[in-house]
Amino acid sequence: PSECRLPSRMNTFNTLELGQALSQTGQRRQRFKRRRMCSSKRARNLRGEFFLNLGLYNEARYEFNKALEIFKNNAIVYNNLGIAEQRLGNVPAALLSFSQAVKIDNSFAQAHFNLANIYTKKEQWGEAAKEYEQALRFDKNFPDAYLNLGVIYRYHLNDLGKAKYYWQIYLCQTHAKRYYLHNYVNNF
């Protein structure tokens, strides 16, 4: 096989560049053998996130489970494990992981959002709305939660007033971001 071409600036490579370089030669699994990795929780979680970004969900799940063996009560790792399980199509395990993340840290907005997405997938609209609202309680600047709440209230819970309310906030937040980006880009 051809040699793996790694990014020229090894000190400043990003995950995507490294993943592309390794996938070009099919060496990504050999390069990151589990026995070569250290066993700290943070390293395991970072490695799991790396595999998650590469689409290697089984490897990501393995790393997150190993991180949880070291430190059992980490909401971020449970949230990441839930994402891996969800992408593998294991909805019950994802639901359990996101629920555990919320149980450990009730103010973790992203875990509430991911849990709401699972409830949406299971068509449990009331539970989904409750979790999206919990996510917004802890993070008001979460446009996707506003958008999803608008959809749920309009098409599933038949409350047009709430749907309009959430959609207006969504439009305000996304417009503000576009305006900010437009000004940011034009100032260069």
Side-chain angles (χ1 to χ4, degrees), residues 45-152:
N45 188 50
L46 288 173
R47 220 169 16 262
E49 289 176 353
F50 177 78
F51 286 131
L52 201 60
N53 290 330
L54 286 177
L56 301 171
Y57 306 125
N58 283 320
E59 288 83 350
R61 176 173 51 188
Y62 174 84
E63 295 298 337
F64 295 136
N65 280 322
K66 285 296 184 183
L68 289 171
E69 286 176 12
I70 299 167
F71 294 98
K72 300 202 182 317
N73 290 326
N74 189 303
I76 294 170
V77 177
Y78 271 110
N79 186 60
N80 289 339
L81 177 61
I83 293 169
E85 295 289 2
Q86 184 179 12
R87 296 204 178 141
L88 285 167
N90 192 353
V91 175
L95 179 66
L96 186 64
S97 295
F98 293 137
S99 297
Q100 189 65 27
V102 166
K103 184 178 176 183
I104 293 168
D105 182 3
N106 191 41
S107 65
F108 191 8
Q110 186 66 48
H112 283 286
F113 180 81
N114 291 333
L115 187 56
N117 287 341
I118 293 292
Y119 286 132
T120 300
K121 191 173 203 146
K122 294 177 75 174
E123 297 182 3
Q124 295 177 355
W125 310 117
E127 289 296 316
K130 183 179 123 192
E131 290 300 327
Y132 284 129
E133 287 168 348
Q134 278 291 92
L136 291 173
R137 182 174 161 223
F138 299 111
D139 184 359
K140 300 283 186 210
N141 299 317
F142 211 143
D144 290 340
Y146 288 109
L147 175 65
N148 293 352
L149 274 168
V151 170
I152 287 173

